[in-house]
Amino acid sequence: MIRTAALALIAVSCAGLGFVKSQALSARVRDLLLLRKILRLLTGEISYAGTPLPEAFYRIGCKMEMPFRDFLQDLSVDMGKYDGASFSEIFNRNTDCHLKGTRLTREDLEEWKEFGRMLGYLDREMQLATLKSFDETLAEKISELKEGLPAQKKLYRSLGVLGGLFLVIFLV
């Protein structure tokens, strides 16, 4: 009886793991879309309102969900402290602190940090060009992910179920 329950638990756990991994793919796309929303709002703040970066980050943070809200608002506050750190250092520190818990991959976070390095020291026109360039890069990445998303999600779910069944058969 206990053996049967343990085998059933193994099968269900493996299947659940496949479903969790499948949902993580969807969450990554959602997080990338939120980064893209930040870029678009920042473009509007810089180009139309002429808002300085610290104020723009704080305003945009008010419109975002967690953890992006904390990232943007803390970035704004840290920029106002004038503690001698460069914008790139502040951006990287806040990215590491607030965005580690997201479903963004290490590569996504490195590209985001590179965007921060390019954004901080440029004039208004170059900032807008940087925003546009990174927005296009994100759009391509999101498009590629969405294209393969259904097949990858199905693969993870299937591997979870089949892996669980394989373990059960192996242990019997």
Side-chain angles (χ1 to χ4, degrees):
M1 178 70 179
I2 293 177
R3 180 179 169 101
T4 306
L7 292 174
L9 184 61
I10 288 171
V12 170
S13 297
C14 288
L17 187 61
F19 280 88
V20 166
K21 187 65 177 169
S22 167
Q23 290 302 319
L25 290 173
S26 297
R28 179 177 177 220
V29 171
R30 184 186 59 82
D31 287 348
L32 288 172
L33 287 169
L34 288 172
L35 287 182
R36 195 154 181 233
K37 181 179 179 181
I38 290 170
L39 294 177
R40 291 183 175 195
L41 291 170
L42 190 57
T43 300
E45 288 285 341
I46 291 171
S47 64
Y48 301 116
T51 310
L53 280 179
E55 186 179 338
F57 284 130
Y58 195 84
R59 283 186 188 179
I60 294 167
C62 293
K63 299 174 186 173
M64 300 301 294
E65 58 189 61
M66 300 295 281
F68 297 98
R69 173 184 299 141
D70 283 347
F71 166 72
L72 292 166
Q73 290 178 342
D74 285 356
L75 180 61
S76 172
V77 169
D78 289 349
M79 288 174 71
K81 288 181 182 175
Y82 304 111
D83 63 354
S86 69
F87 175 77
S88 178
E89 293 169 340
I90 295 169
F91 194 90
N92 289 345
R93 185 174 55 231
N94 279 286
T95 297
D96 290 339
C97 178
H98 296 292
L99 301 184
K100 285 290 185 188
T102 63
R103 296 295 184 165
L104 298 171
T105 64
R106 183 178 302 166
E107 177 186 320
D108 296 335
L109 291 173
E110 287 303 316
E111 288 175 0
W112 182 245
K113 288 178 183 180
E114 181 62 30
F115 162 73
R117 280 189 282 279
M118 294 186 302
L119 182 66
Y121 68 94
L122 306 171
D123 64 356
R124 184 175 168 207
E125 289 78 27
M126 290 301 290
Q127 285 177 346
L128 292 172
T130 300
L131 286 165
K132 182 180 178 186
S133 173
F134 194 69
D135 185 50
E136 291 170 357
T137 302
L138 273 179
E140 284 179 30
K141 183 182 281 194
I142 291 168
S143 175
E144 290 173 9
L145 285 172
K146 281 185 174 181
E147 188 176 301
L149 192 65
Q152 282 187 316
K153 288 177 73 169
K154 186 175 182 178
L155 177 69
Y156 280 125
R157 290 189 302 253
S158 299
L159 283 175
V161 170
L162 291 174
L165 291 175
F166 174 75
L167 276 174
V168 167
I169 291 170
F170 182 74
L171 294 173
V172 169

